[in-house]
Amino acid sequence: MQEQISSDEIIKGIRNRLKDLKKLIVTDLDGTLLDNNSQLPQEYVEQIKELLSPEVKMTIASGRGYPSVKTFADRFPIDVPVICEAGAVVVDPITEHIIYQQFLEEDVVKAIAEHLARKKYRCNFYLYQGNNMICYKKPDVPLFTDKEPAPVVNTDFSDIPKEAMVDVRKVSIILEEEYLNQLKEELRALLGDRINVMRADDGCLDIMAIGVTKGSALKHMLDICGIDPSHVMAIGDNESDATMFDVVKFSVAVANADDFTKSKASFVTASNEDKGVLLAIKRFLEAEQND
């Protein structure tokens, strides 16, 4: 990514680009916009694009890193800032300037690694550092996902280099679903006042600095862009996405979402396999016309 320029210049450029915007759709990727194979068929892209215009735009809020998010954003293309790493960073996809980011403290990342080693968890341990992401795991532990490919380092978590724990915005831990809630509570007990731990995809925990969520990043992004939250719809499938629901007027859970996320949503649309985002956008635009 390019180096940041002054905040005033960034904000002025973004607001000028979005001057005609009246409605904004914010969608998660995995389990929401993407199908169960993490694919986005071009036919589906074209159907959504037919509903978009200078007045109606869409953006992405994902747990993925920016390079992965941009591959999907470019297919529409999206010119509204995108939320990545579960809210730890917001990037303008046009200029590639970072307009917001929050880091975990080095000793927090180290404490998480030491806990995984002490408890002997069989997991994939991802560190997001700038545009780079590395997966640490024991040699006998499989890769649980290839949704966002990363270099793999075999380790028992005790010898992760110090420099790998500096300027980390997000940690992801992927392991068997049966151990997920247990690990979540252990980390909250260990570092609860310094981290935010959220369930993301099945078998995945996202860990960010305290106060960092997709919701907090969305609020910041809307403020920067000068967008009224009452004209925004957020769509998702899990706890991380549900943090956006208190920020906007229209909140939508896909049919495959967990029960908690559904309970927080204004309404439930079809699943990610049945074009739930497309149907939600149509309902959102109809509701706005009737207001």
Side-chain angles (χ1 to χ4, degrees), residues 269-285:
T269 186
S271 75
N272 64 318
E273 287 283 310
D274 296 314
K275 300 184 178 179
V277 170
L278 177 68
L279 297 174
I281 295 173
K282 289 180 177 178
R283 179 166 173 175
F284 173 51
L285 298 182

Side-chain angles (χ1 to χ4, degrees), residues 42-215:
Q42 187 59 32
E43 177 188 6
Y44 192 24
V45 171
E46 296 301 326
Q47 289 174 329
I48 291 174
K49 285 171 66 174
E50 288 179 2
L51 302 176
L52 304 179
S53 68
E55 294 185 349
V56 180
K57 292 181 179 286
M58 187 175 80
T59 192
I60 293 169
S62 175
R64 294 187 183 220
Y66 174 70
S68 181
V69 170
K70 184 163 172 57
T71 62
F72 294 103
D74 285 348
R75 293 180 61 186
F76 288 92
I78 287 171
D79 64 356
V80 181
V82 293
I83 297 168
C84 310
E85 298 176 24
V89 61
V90 180
V91 184
D92 177 11
I94 301 302
T95 64
E96 299 206 320
H97 290 296
I98 295 172
I99 61 175
Y100 168 87
Q101 63 181 334
Q102 293 290 326
F103 298 96
L104 284 160
E105 295 180 59
E106 178 186 341
D107 63 317
V108 167
V109 180
K110 182 179 179 182
I112 295 170
E114 290 175 344
H115 182 79
L116 296 176
R118 186 167 56 251
K119 291 290 187 174
K120 296 182 169 57
Y121 276 109
R122 290 173 53 81
C123 64
N124 299 167
F125 180 56
Y126 291 84
L127 300 183
Y128 288 73
Q129 189 181 55
N131 265 350
N132 300 315
M133 177 181 63
I134 297 179
C135 173
Y136 296 91
K137 70 176 189 64
K138 296 179 181 179
D140 62 327
V141 175
L143 278 173
F144 292 111
T145 181
D146 59 359
K147 287 179 178 178
E148 193 174 9
V152 177
V153 177
N154 289 318
T155 175
D156 65 358
F157 304 118
S158 65
D159 58 353
I160 297 175
K162 180 178 180 181
E163 58 268 22
M165 301 188 191
V166 178
D167 294 336
V168 171
R169 290 186 297 233
K170 189 186 82 158
V171 168
S172 288
I173 302 172
I174 303 178
L175 73 168
E176 288 93 346
E177 182 73 25
E178 62 184 296
Y179 300 112
L180 202 69
N181 286 332
Q182 173 183 313
L183 177 57
K184 181 180 179 181
E185 294 310 314
E186 289 172 356
L187 292 175
R188 281 180 170 170
L190 180 68
L191 297 160
D193 61 343
R194 303 180 69 190
I195 60 172
N196 187 25
V197 187
M198 307 289 293
R199 286 188 64 119
D201 296 335
D202 290 344
C204 180
L205 291 178
D206 281 343
I207 304 160
M208 295 76 64
I210 192 70
V212 173
T213 64
K214 286 185 181 181

Side-chain angles (χ1 to χ4, degrees), residues 26-46:
V26 184
T27 180
D28 172 49
L29 284 177
D30 295 289
T32 304
L33 182 63
L34 308 187
D35 64 22
N36 290 341
N37 295 313
S38 297
Q39 299 298 309
L40 182 59
Q42 187 59 32
E43 177 188 6
Y44 192 24
V45 171
E46 296 301 326

